[in-house]
Amino acid sequence: MQVTQQVVQLAADIGSITDGITPSWSVFGAIGTKAKIIVGVVMAGAILFLLGSAIVGAVHIRVGNQQHNTMETKKGQTMVASSLLGLFAVASMSTLFGIVYGFGI
């Protein structure tokens, strides 16, 4: 019986420790759960759009190479590069906001 109480007490202590570790101090810690969900959905939509744009760019590269059309190939390369750069920016947005918020404090 006493071992069970000790395990329950240890579990409660671990819960309080992990609550202190979570980064709720950053920009996204102050908003509510619905706003966090909306931000997540918008970011997921942007990521899907950018991945689709990169796929279209890859198709432009393939068609340009098959038709020996350098303009089409260059257009595809530009689309792929800009889509991947945008994808990196969106994926690291929460980290960048956290850093900027930390510098502001």
Side-chain angles (χ1 to χ4, degrees):
M1 185 69 159
Q2 203 158 35
V3 173
T4 308
Q5 289 175 346
Q6 289 174 348
V7 169
V8 170
Q9 181 65 31
L10 181 63
D13 290 342
I14 290 174
S16 65
I17 290 170
T18 56
D19 287 342
I21 294 173
T22 57
S24 59
W25 52 267
S26 67
V27 178
F28 296 112
I31 61 177
T33 54
K34 288 184 182 181
K36 288 179 187 177
I37 292 171
I38 291 172
V39 168
V41 167
V42 169
M43 288 177 73
I47 288 172
L48 287 176
F49 173 76
L50 289 169
L51 282 175
S53 179
I55 291 170
V56 170
V59 169
H60 280 286
I61 292 172
R62 177 128 174 123
V63 169
N65 284 337
Q66 286 177 349
Q67 296 177 351
H68 302 291
N69 185 353
T70 57
M71 293 293 284
E72 192 76 18
T73 304
K74 214 44 156 160
K75 179 181 177 184
Q77 289 174 345
T78 304
M79 284 181 73
V80 169
S82 62
S83 296
L84 293 179
L85 184 64
L87 186 66
F88 173 75
V90 169
S92 63
M93 194 174 286
S94 61
T95 304
L96 293 173
F97 283 159
I99 291 170
V100 170
Y101 181 77
F103 282 137
I105 293 179

